[in-house]
């Protein structure tokens, strides 16, 4: 993939977020004076290599319009589906409809407002060089235990070579569209976009990313994320 191929962010934001114990879908939770999704989009759209974004919303969403989110780059919306991969697929078809197949799709959860520009540059660069795409990931640092009967430890697993998959995950548009179509047509269960590409026999790259790029899934994450966000801002002020 050459440097001239445009990069578009696809931001799935059609989840309900039951783990947050809140009526508000988690992408709309307040975070440093705005909502999580606005912070995530700001991070993406302020990166010089990202040309625009497609935000994928629930059919019943009434909040997005009210935000009146403003950006200097184009932001389109479309409707998501039952599972996260249905939502991503929907975002990709919107991209394809507008721009054809010659685009790079950068998939980023709406609830990851802390991704750094350095990590974005690294994963975009890797995806441009590797035809199967690339994802940000962080090495597993905790010891892993396998649960046996009655919560007794059955086994201790080696964490060597194990990584936590983060987002963004970046692929050529056509590659991910084909892979997700297979997943949907065959009713497969996947937990990230790279897995769909792996199931097609391709091998996306792991790009070491900052473990602070949290996915906000519980109220405790929000508190932690606020600390990280303030720290990132202070570091930027010092530069
Ligand atoms: O639920 P999970 O933590 O996997 O959600 C990750 C991201 O995927 C969130 O931004 C959520 O809004 C989005 N999502 C979606 N469509 C779904 C489920 C989740 O766009 N059906």
């Amino acid at each position: 993939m050459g440097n001239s191929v445009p990069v578009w962010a696809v931001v799935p934001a059609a989840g309900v977020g039951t783990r947050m114990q809140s009526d508000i879908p988690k992408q709309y939770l307040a975070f440093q004076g705005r909502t999580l999704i606005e912070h995530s989009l700001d991070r993406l759209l302020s990166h010089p290599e990202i040309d625009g974004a497609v935000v994928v919303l629930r059919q019943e969403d009434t909040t997005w319009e009210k935000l009146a989110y403003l950006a200097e780059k184009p932001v389109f919306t479309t409707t998501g589906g039952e599972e996260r991969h249905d939502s991503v697929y929907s975002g990709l078809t919107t991209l394809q409809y507008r721009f054809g197949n010659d685009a790079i799709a950068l998939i980023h959860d709406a609830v990851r407002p802390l991704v750094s520009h350095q990590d974005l540059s690294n994963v975009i660069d890797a995806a441009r060089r590797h035809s199967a795409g690339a994802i940000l990931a962080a090495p597993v640092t905790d010891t892993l235990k396998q649960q046996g009967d009655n919560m007794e430890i059955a086994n201790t697993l080696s964490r060597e070579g194990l990584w936590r998959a983060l987002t963004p995950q970046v692929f050529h548009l056509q590659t991910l569209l084909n892979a997700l179509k297979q997943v949907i047509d065959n009713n497969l269960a996947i937990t990230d976009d790279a897995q769909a590409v792996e199931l097609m026999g391709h091998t996306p790259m792991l790009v070491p990313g900052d473990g602070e790029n949290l996915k906000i899934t519980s109220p405790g994450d929000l508190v932690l994320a606020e600390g990280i966000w303030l720290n990132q801002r202070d570091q930027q002020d010092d530069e």
Side-chain angles (χ1 to χ4, degrees):
M1 290 181 244
N3 272 353
S4 58
V5 180
V7 180
W8 277 77
V10 172
V11 179
V16 206
T18 46
R19 281 167 289 185
M20 268 324 268
Q21 299 145 28
S22 160
D23 290 340
I24 306 172
K26 50 190 179 170
Q27 58 271 18
Y28 294 128
L29 290 173
F31 184 76
Q32 291 298 320
R34 307 184 75 192
T35 58
L36 285 174
I37 189 171
E38 289 173 287
H39 280 279
S40 300
L41 284 168
D42 285 354
R43 287 276 164 118
L44 298 173
L45 294 170
S46 58
H47 190 282
E49 280 194 77
I50 297 179
D51 295 287
V54 177
V55 178
V56 189
L57 303 167
R58 279 171 68 215
Q59 179 99 54
E60 308 77 22
D61 190 298
T62 53
T63 312
W64 172 258
E65 281 290 306
K66 291 185 201 137
L67 293 182
Y69 180 76
L70 275 181
E72 283 173 8
K73 294 176 182 172
V75 177
F76 303 114
T77 59
T78 189
T79 307
E82 188 81 13
E83 302 290 336
R84 183 184 177 284
H85 62 255
D86 299 313
S87 299
V88 172
Y89 186 78
S90 167
L92 296 176
T93 55
T94 300
L95 267 190
Q96 190 186 40
Y97 175 73
R98 288 184 180 266
F99 304 106
N101 287 329
D102 214 10
I104 291 171
L106 177 146
I107 319 302
H108 187 60
D109 291 327
V111 289
R112 287 189 193 264
L114 301 168
V115 63
S116 71
H117 272 197
Q118 185 60 59
D119 278 0
L120 287 170
S121 300
N122 292 347
V123 70
I124 291 169
D125 187 49
R128 285 195 193 277
R129 285 185 287 104
H130 193 67
S131 62
I135 74 166
L136 283 182
V140 170
T141 52
D142 292 320
T143 296
L144 297 173
K145 300 291 185 191
Q146 184 149 37
Q147 177 193 324
D149 293 338
N150 305 321
M151 285 300 280
E152 287 170 354
I153 295 172
N155 209 352
T156 297
L157 306 172
S158 166
R159 63 182 175 221
E160 196 162 323
L162 291 186
W163 294 74
R164 294 187 294 117
L166 311 171
T167 75
Q169 303 201 345
V170 189
F171 308 92
H172 197 279
L173 174 60
Q174 188 68 59
T175 303
L176 187 57
L177 255 181
N178 290 347
L180 289 178
K181 184 161 187 339
Q182 291 294 322
V183 166
I184 293 165
D185 287 352
N186 296 300
N187 209 10
L188 305 175
I190 57 167
T191 50
D192 74 344
D193 303 301
Q195 194 182 357
V197 176
E198 292 160 45
L199 288 170
M200 297 279 287
H202 305 307
T203 48
M205 295 277 298
L206 291 167
V207 175
D210 196 332
E212 289 191 340
N213 173 12
L214 298 186
K215 178 163 92 165
I216 313 290
T217 44
S218 67
D221 295 336
L222 211 47
V223 177
L224 196 58
E226 270 179 303
I228 296 170
W229 190 88
L230 290 171
N231 195 30
Q232 286 178 339
R233 193 191 56 182
D234 291 347
Q235 278 177 2
Q236 226 175 24
D237 290 347
D238 290 344
E239 280 168 16

